[in-house]
Amino acid sequence: MFKNIKFRAAVATLVFLAALFYLIPTLLPNLPDFWEEKLPKDKIHLGLDLQGGMHLVLEVDADKAVEATLERLANNFKETLMDNKIRFRKMDRDSGKTITLELTDPGQRDAFDKILKNHYPDLSSTRSETIEGREKLYLEMNKKRMDEIKKMAVEQSLETIRNRVDQFGISEPEIIPQGDDRILIQLPGIADTRRAKNLIGKTALLEFKLVDDEHSLEEALRGNIPEGTEIVYGSHVDRETGRQTSSPYLLKSKTLLTGDSLESAKVQIGDRLGKPHVSIRFNSQGANDFERITGENVKKQLAIVLDGNVYSAPVIQERISGGQAQISGAFTMDEARDLAIVLRAGALPAPVTILEERTIGPSLGQDSINKGIWSCIVGGILVAIFMAIYYRFSGIIADIALGINLVRLLGIMVIFGATLMLPGISGIVLTIWMAVDANVLICERIREELRSGKTARASVEAGYAKAFLTIFDANITTLIAALFLFGFGTGPVKGFAVTLTIGIVVSMYTAVFVTRIIYDYLIWNRKMTRLSI
């Protein structure tokens, strides 16, 4: 039996020391060098409400993703009809989700339907009408396909935003979907909220388009925009005066290359002026396309357009091979770094709108931490005093178990990288109460056995045996509820569930296993015949 006690004591000591080693970096801000090199140095991660930061709710404009897909389908469909010599005119998108066109030769309707059915199953002809001898057709995307595109737009937006936040270097972010088209984002510890919003909300659609030098820009600005062209502005901000200026460009509507072909993007410093710019590299297919585009358009301007803003429009001097280009502008280092991040992470499939924004200051979080710690300390001291007075020496054993319980709970949170939030402190307080309740049950059962005239050894054994089922039943039902909160809850609810789940497991282990070791040691090794309880 003695060996058994030594084994159990060794297990309990190892578990306690492991938790303590993981908890020390949280308690001591300045660790010695040997600790930094060889021992755990992670701290308890604080949630948004304790550390301060930003809370955002974004809405993904999934309809825009459907419209963009329909636009690509319309362009491809137009080329397919031309390749098959199907005569048509006035192909356009009506009300965003309908493609309209006029068949000039009604005899080609069968061939038209065959192409539509075989090559574009997502499109279907919903109705037609005859106008001046020409058949006007209305094509729409089927609803199932539109729902798939909307769902994929939200999922891809979620992944893209997560990649951007990860590359930005924010620890413990929470990025989860809400409903059909919303995304909840919590960024603990973020200080520059404006920069974070720009990083997350930027669509980052990168396009390369030729500047139309065959038509007059002035004439286009007067409203006479040639077919197949568009006016796009390039905005620039003067760093010294803060004045924003914009310059119009007449661009050909056709996109020659997009950011989908990017392999990497990084910040580099210019040799002459020392200003940062973003250097981009295309993948093999993109490099071939870029070489072909530059080779076919030497001495023409190639505009680099990001989210509808022309960043630069350099003149192509020669064929550019190797698949490298650069985006230059009046960037600060942070702006250039953020631009490289969004380009690496990829474009959002649809624009996002900020529906809700809350910023929590770190001072409020520190105040919450201080109040939470003091509530735990004061509550713990009062409970410890009560236990020591009411149950005397057995109450002191329960108090020791309570301290061990708290160290293990916090240490396990560090080991598993759990995040402590304000509701999590409530979970710790509730755990302390449940740990005390378990010890009260054990003490009361032991008291009953002693009153019946049993020895200390028999009373401890019977007391633990009778109290175990009650402790197990009370804790296991609470544990099930906590697991459901963890599985289905989010944010603060999940934070409460984390500390409650860990706390229940630890308190059961401490109440049933650790305190029993102390009693067994005293009775078997120290030959204690009377219990102070």
Side-chain angles (χ1 to χ4, degrees):
M1 178 60 71
F2 181 74
K3 290 182 178 179
N4 189 24
I5 293 176
K6 287 180 66 177
F7 176 74
R8 286 186 288 155
V11 171
T13 304
L14 284 175
V15 174
F16 176 76
L17 289 177
L20 186 62
F21 275 120
Y22 276 93
L23 186 59
I24 280 178
T26 302
L27 303 176
L28 301 176
N30 298 318
L31 296 171
D33 293 338
F34 75 92
W35 194 292
E36 292 276 0
E37 294 172 1
K38 299 180 180 178
L39 295 173
K41 52 182 179 292
D42 287 340
K43 299 180 179 180
I44 289 182
H45 297 294
L46 300 180
L48 183 70
D49 48 1
L50 295 180
Q51 190 179 169
M54 192 165 65
H55 167 101
L56 293 172
V57 177
L58 304 181
E59 183 179 53
V60 180
D61 191 352
D63 287 337
K64 291 290 184 186
V66 175
E67 291 179 15
T69 305
L70 202 60
E71 180 73 32
R72 287 195 297 273
L73 273 177
N75 291 332
N76 295 337
F77 190 46
K78 183 188 293 183
E79 292 180 2
T80 305
L81 292 179
M82 293 170 67
D83 292 342
N84 288 274
K85 298 182 173 30
I86 304 294
R87 299 174 63 188
F88 68 95
R89 62 195 293 267
K90 292 186 178 178
M91 178 178 283
D92 201 359
R93 283 197 301 118
D94 183 24
S95 69
K97 296 180 181 177
T98 304
I99 300 173
T100 62
L101 77 161
E102 292 179 0
L103 274 181
T104 55
D105 183 2
Q108 291 185 313
R109 177 60 190 268
D110 290 340
F112 175 88
D113 289 339
K114 188 176 180 181
I115 291 172
L116 189 65
K117 180 180 178 182
N118 293 339
H119 298 282
Y120 298 91
D122 294 335
L123 292 175
S124 59
S125 176
T126 54
R127 62 191 176 95
S128 65
E129 58 185 358
T130 302
I131 302 174
E132 297 178 354
R134 293 186 296 273
E135 187 177 15
K136 186 174 182 178
L137 300 172
Y138 295 83
L139 307 180
E140 290 185 0
M141 185 181 290
N142 62 61
K143 188 176 183 307
K144 182 181 177 184
R145 179 57 181 155
M146 283 197 292
D147 291 342
E148 287 177 356
I149 292 171
K150 289 179 181 179
K151 184 180 178 184
M152 287 175 61
V154 176
E155 291 176 352
Q156 190 178 338
S157 298
L158 193 75
E159 192 61 31
T160 302
I161 290 173
R162 183 172 287 124
N163 288 337
R164 290 180 183 181
V165 170
D166 288 345
Q167 294 189 36
F168 193 59
I170 300 172
S171 61
E172 293 296 316
E174 186 158 3
I175 305 169
I176 55 177
Q178 269 196 338
D180 294 332
D181 57 358
R182 295 184 181 182
I183 299 173
L184 169 69
I185 302 172
Q186 291 190 335
L187 306 175
I190 193 74
D192 192 343
T193 56
R194 185 188 62 82
R195 186 181 169 197
K197 282 193 296 182
N198 290 336
L199 178 81
I200 293 169
K202 192 186 287 292
T203 306
L205 176 60
L206 180 65
E207 300 171 290
F208 291 83
K209 295 184 176 183
L210 281 177
V211 175
D212 186 354
D213 53 3
E214 299 169 359
H215 299 91
S216 168
L217 174 62
E218 289 73 16
E219 193 66 25
L221 289 172
R222 282 194 284 270
N224 300 318
I225 302 175
E227 187 176 353
T229 64
E230 58 186 353
I231 296 176
V232 182
Y233 287 84
S235 298
H236 305 282
V237 178
D238 190 314
R239 297 293 169 197
E240 296 181 355
T241 63
R243 183 181 177 188
Q244 181 171 343
T245 58
S246 61
S247 305
Y249 294 86
L250 182 61
L251 305 182
K252 294 189 175 180
S253 301
K254 186 178 181 180
T255 301
L256 302 178
L257 198 61
T258 69
D260 292 341
S261 302
L262 285 186
E263 184 177 80
S264 66
K266 60 182 178 181
V267 178
Q268 289 188 327
I269 304 299
D271 295 334
R272 294 181 179 177
L273 301 177
K275 291 184 177 180
H277 64 265
V278 178
S279 175
I280 57 178
R281 175 184 284 277
F282 297 104
N283 57 27
S284 57
Q285 182 60 47
N288 293 334
D289 291 341
F290 193 63
E291 183 176 358
R292 176 182 53 77
I293 292 166
T294 52
E296 294 173 351
N297 298 284
V298 174
K299 301 303 179 186
K300 294 182 180 178
Q301 278 185 282
L302 182 65
I304 302 174
V305 187
L306 182 67
D307 289 345
N309 182 62
V310 178
Y311 271 73
S312 58
V315 177
I316 302 171
Q317 299 296 344
E318 59 183 354
R319 177 189 294 270
I320 302 175
S321 59
Q324 283 192 321
Q326 72 177 43
I327 302 175
S328 56
F331 297 126
T332 63
M333 182 56 78
D334 284 342
E335 289 171 343
R337 189 176 293 123
D338 292 349
L339 179 58
I341 288 174
V342 297
L343 291 176
R344 284 198 301 268
L348 291 175
V352 294
T353 306
I354 297 176
L355 295 181
E356 182 183 342
E357 176 188 350
R358 282 189 281 126
T359 303
I360 301 171
S363 57
L364 178 63
Q366 188 59 48
D367 188 50
S368 300
I369 294 174
N370 294 339
K371 288 182 178 177
I373 291 174
W374 275 110
S375 66
C376 289
I377 291 175
V378 172
I381 290 175
L382 291 177
V383 169
I385 292 173
F386 169 80
M387 293 292 287
I389 293 174
Y390 195 73
Y391 292 111
R392 288 170 286 185
F393 184 70
S394 296
I396 294 174
I397 293 176
D399 291 340
I400 294 172
L402 202 62
I404 294 172
N405 193 34
L406 196 58
V407 170
R408 283 177 174 157
L409 190 158
L410 296 175
I412 289 174
M413 288 188 70
V414 179
I415 292 172
F416 288 103
T419 301
L420 180 62
M421 307 179 76
L422 192 56
I425 296 178
S426 306
I428 293 174
V429 175
L430 179 59
T431 299
I432 292 174
W433 171 79
M434 295 190 70
V436 172
D437 187 54
N439 282 285
V440 167
L441 282 172
I442 292 171
C443 289
E444 286 298 326
R445 296 291 87 77
I446 293 175
R447 267 185 174 178
E448 289 176 359
E449 300 301 322
L450 288 173
R451 289 194 195 106
S452 66
K454 290 184 178 178
T455 63
R457 173 187 169 187
S459 298
V460 168
E461 288 184 355
Y464 270 90
K466 291 181 177 179
F468 176 77
L469 284 179
T470 307
I471 295 171
F472 181 79
D473 179 62
N475 282 274
I476 206 69
T477 51
T478 308
L479 181 62
I480 292 172
L483 290 175
F484 271 95
L485 288 176
F486 182 80
F488 296 100
T490 59
V493 175
K494 199 166 189 174
F496 174 77
V498 167
T499 53
L500 185 59
T501 303
I502 297 174
I504 289 170
V505 175
V506 170
S507 67
M508 283 185 64
Y509 165 78
T510 307
V512 176
F513 188 78
V514 176
T515 57
R516 180 65 188 271
I517 294 173
I518 299 173
Y519 281 117
D520 286 350
Y521 173 77
L522 294 174
I523 292 171
W524 288 97
N525 195 43
R526 294 296 179 183
K527 309 298 182 186
M528 182 182 284
T529 56
R530 293 187 60 190
L531 276 179
S532 174
I533 190 167

